[in-house]
Amino acid sequence: MLIWLLAGLASGFAASFVFAGASVWRYLAAGVAGAVIVSYLIMTAGVHVPVSDWLLRNLMIATLGALPVIIIARVFD
């Protein structure tokens, strides 16, 4: 779970530089929300991600989960 939070924070922080002009806190929150929700859903659904390293797999899933939520936050900004 800590990996999900860190990946969400990192994604949100990076998005605050890419999408300049909005609050950093909004992107951090969106990144964490997306990372945690999507990671949890993938874990409970039993979806197999073909990456052998567990750290890299969790980082990839959390980052890919954070991106759509960050983009949605940007659209409604």
Side-chain angles (χ1 to χ4, degrees), residues 2-35:
L2 182 62
I3 301 298
W4 303 344
L5 294 173
L6 292 175
L9 285 173
S11 298
F13 187 69
S16 69
F17 288 109
V18 173
F19 302 122
S23 172
V24 173
W25 298 108
R26 183 178 189 153
Y27 290 125
L28 290 175
V32 169

Side-chain angles (χ1 to χ4, degrees), residues 36-49 61-62 64-65:
V36 170
I37 290 169
V38 172
S39 296
Y40 178 76
L41 289 175
I42 286 177
M43 183 182 70
T44 57
V47 175
H48 175 69
V49 179
I61 292 169
L64 291 175

